[in-house]
Amino acid sequence: MLSRSLLTTPAPSKQPRLSIILTLLVVAQFVVILDFSIVQIALPTIRTDLGISLADSQWIVSAYGLTFAGLLLLSGRASDLYGRRKLFSIGLVIFALSSLAGGLAPSEIVLIGARAAQGVGAAIASATGLSLLVVTFPEGRERNRALSVFAAVSSAGFAAGVILGGTLTAAFGWRSVFYVNVPIGIIAAILALRLLVESKGQRLDRRLDLPGAISVTAGLSLLVYALTNAANEGLSSSLVSLALSAVVLAAFLVIEHFSKAPLMPLTFLSRGAVLSANALAILTTSAVGTMIFLLTIYLQEIQGYSALTAGLAFLPTAIVFLFVGGYLSAKLVARFGMKPVLITGMAIQAAGFLLLSRLAVGTQYLTELLPDMLVVSLGSAIVFTAFNIAALSGARKGEEGLASGLINTSRQVGSSVGLAIAVTIVSIVTAALGTSVSPASATVEGFRYAFLSSSVLCGFGVVIASLIRRPKMVVTPTEPLVASPAQPSPFVPELGMSVAMKKIMVAVDGSANGERAATTAIGFARDYHAELQVLQVVQSPSGVTPSSPGAGGGGSMIINERYDYAEKEAEDYVSSVVAKAREAGVAVARGEVCRSTESPSDAIAERAKTEGVDMVVIGTRGLGASERLLLGSVSSGVVANAAMSVVVVK
């Protein structure tokens, strides 16, 4: 939270209300994701009760995935146009009522239809839920924390569904896995109408791109159908569906290119790390979905675990997702930036799946299997938050639904792709071994190759993450860069090109490092004919705000006086830098002092983004990597979090 001494002080955010809203959005997302895996544990019981064959029982899972994945983009864009809160509540009601229909289903057809309707409600609720989070929480540290909780609970929901599915099926029967959604969905819909503020995009064109929506939904549905069918009957039986899916998706791209109000502007994918983030989402969910599905079968059919015991075996992975994804990942992104976190997380996942490829019929759960599962979960939990932040970083105001719908679509399509690939690999390996080994050994051998393929996918993820462009630079100038007759605008060697700058921000703190940064920034602003903004952050503990008459008791008054004095010193110093800039020939120079309860690096990055500056200049103490990790570095934090170029002056 920032208070600005030279600008109007903003109203403080209502933290308790934000916490309640985050809880509401997280619970809704948790139930939606939970439904993917909660049904898988109950499938054997459902098949026996309703007389469904093994092949047809796949539709109980895939019908939900088809409508979920196919309608996410449409739901996200519709929420931008017609209201996020309204569609969020509608989605929850559809999800709750279709869950009730699934619990009451007397036959296979009714159950599959209810599952398809569940996917419709889930798509609407999921796409609008993430966009509501984005518009509710301000960009920066606060949003990153909310996203980390959202991602952690989403990830844990998949694993927790296996646990809850086993518990409910054992205690109350398979119908209870559907009934549990009804009260949660209805209550969440009512609370959403009471607590959330309606928000829409800013587009003047209120039309929805129905041709684009129909083509992308049909194309994705055909793709998921083809992959599901390939897993059941072989790849050759799905070639026509795959080809048709490719044609329809190509038609979608053509429609979007010529549409005046496109569902997904193709230029959106070129912003920042949006394309890479969605590719990593597909790879990660492909691998993680494979692990949960195959190990569920392994524990029950090979190791002889009950449904409840098999579900509880995934509890440690759910805990890792919840706590590592909810706490550690956001801190790592804030400290090191998205790119190194994504590379590290994908590498950890690749190593974990390589370990899982050693699986054998007699693998011990506690000493052999669980450690491998935890390695995969650690990498996945780290990556989930990071690619969510990366995917949403390219969204402009009014496009939050588009961004959230796209990343959710990538996750759901990834799950289907990964499962289809894994099951196909298992089938090929099992058929190749024939009767040369026992059925259990043949199945486990197939699992090993499937996990090896997941490791390869995560290896591709490392490559993709390493290619993410970071629009930042670090230079060590001995003199401010200046223009010359041969080079009319300053030439920046690190960029290899001349660049145009309209607004430059320099972060100062009164130190020698800050003084050098100010001198360099003044040179940049003069030579670029750019506006210069001089910023100094005064960090204060949470709850300490600029003093006012009659505020607080004696102790708080002393603390306020201390920080008021520090702020006054900062104002004097900033004013001196502004005066120096004007004397040096900078046409427009202004100063600002921010009092922040966040870290200085977060405050600087937030102000730079708000002000729309082209470059941030900051000094550094020149610490090594280990010292930066232990002592912290404001300049490193700015480089990691700022959305624009950063010049670090040593």
Side-chain angles (χ1 to χ4, degrees), residues 69 85 102 129 135 161 181 223 247 273 358 384 393 444:
R85 182 186 67 173
V135 299
N181 297 326
L223 175 61
V247 171
R358 304 174 304 169
F384 260 83
S393 64
V444 171

Side-chain angles (χ1 to χ4, degrees), residues 207-223:
R207 293 176 300 173
L208 189 63
D209 179 19
L210 290 179
I214 293 172
S215 59
V216 72
T217 302
L220 288 173
S221 297
L222 282 168
L223 175 61

Side-chain angles (χ1 to χ4, degrees), residues 16 104 128 211 219 258 280 288 378 392 399 441 443 450 461 465 549 594 617:
L104 297 172
T128 53
F258 291 102
L280 292 174
V288 174
L378 175 63
L392 295 172
E399 294 178 335
S441 297
T443 300
C594 294
V617 182

Side-chain angles (χ1 to χ4, degrees), residues 32 35-36 61-76 87-99 112-128 217 221:
V32 166
D35 225 61
F36 263 109
V61 176
S62 60
Y64 184 78
L66 280 168
T67 51
F68 197 149
L71 295 177
L72 272 169
L73 271 178
L74 173 63
S75 301
L87 285 181
F88 182 67
S89 299
I90 290 173
L92 289 173
V93 170
I94 293 174
F95 184 78
L97 295 180
S98 56
S99 296
I112 292 174
R115 288 288 286 167
Q118 270 189 304
V120 173
I124 298 173
S126 184
T128 53
T217 302
S221 297

Side-chain angles (χ1 to χ4, degrees), residues 448-518:
R448 292 178 58 188
Y449 277 95
F451 289 138
L452 191 60
S453 72
S454 294
S455 181
V456 172
L457 289 178
C458 292
F460 284 139
V462 173
V463 176
I464 292 173
S466 67
L467 296 177
I468 293 177
R469 292 176 296 174
R470 299 178 65 180
K472 303 174 175 66
M473 55 184 174
V474 179
V475 298
T476 314
T478 55
E479 296 289 340
L481 300 178
V482 296
S484 66
Q487 185 66 48
S489 63
F491 184 77
V492 183
E494 285 73 16
L495 292 180
M497 59 182 290
S498 297
V499 289
M501 295 286 175
K502 295 182 179 180
K503 185 183 289 188
I504 297 171
M505 174 182 285
V506 58
V508 298
D509 59 2
S511 67
N513 304 318
E515 190 70 29
R516 288 194 295 271

Side-chain angles (χ1 to χ4, degrees), residues 123-332:
I124 298 173
S126 184
T128 53
L130 187 54
S131 61
L132 279 167
L133 184 147
V134 172
V135 299
T136 301
F137 291 85
E139 186 167 8
R141 186 178 183 183
E142 203 168 2
R143 182 187 294 177
N144 287 355
R145 284 178 173 175
L147 281 171
S148 68
V149 173
F150 193 84
V153 173
S154 299
S155 305
F158 197 83
V162 182
I163 302 170
L164 188 58
T167 303
L168 290 175
T169 302
F172 306 106
W174 67 266
R175 296 182 185 274
S176 62
V177 303
F178 294 101
Y179 292 147
V180 71
N181 297 326
V182 180
I184 297 175
I186 296 298
I187 293 172
I190 295 172
L191 290 177
L193 293 174
R194 292 177 60 88
L195 296 175
L196 299 176
V197 176
E198 186 61 280
S199 62
K200 300 179 181 179
Q202 302 299 312
R203 287 175 48 159
L204 297 177
D205 190 342
R206 310 302 297 174
R207 293 176 300 173
L208 189 63
D209 179 19
L210 290 179
I214 293 172
S215 59
V216 72
T217 302
L220 288 173
S221 297
L222 282 168
L223 175 61
V224 176
Y225 167 78
L227 294 171
T228 302
N229 197 47
N232 291 331
E233 301 179 18
L235 185 61
S236 59
S237 64
S238 300
L239 292 179
V240 174
S241 298
L242 285 172
L244 187 58
S245 170
V247 171
V248 175
L249 290 175
F252 165 70
L253 296 177
V254 173
I255 291 170
E256 296 307 282
H257 178 72
F258 291 102
S259 175
K260 295 181 179 180
L263 179 68
M264 187 191 74
L266 299 182
T267 55
F268 180 76
L269 290 174
S270 65
R271 294 187 202 156
V274 173
L275 180 60
S276 298
N278 281 274
L280 292 174
I282 291 173
L283 294 175
T284 298
T285 52
S286 294
V288 174
T290 294
M291 182 185 77
I292 295 197
F293 183 83
L294 295 184
L295 290 184
T296 299
I297 297 173
Y298 172 80
L299 291 172
Q300 292 186 71
E301 298 187 6
I302 306 299
Q303 295 278 22
Y305 283 33
S306 66
L308 178 58
T309 307
L312 292 174
F314 285 92
L315 181 59
T317 64
I319 294 174
V320 169
F321 273 117
L322 186 60
F323 289 99
V324 175
Y327 175 75
L328 179 62
S329 182
K331 293 185 74 65
L332 291 175

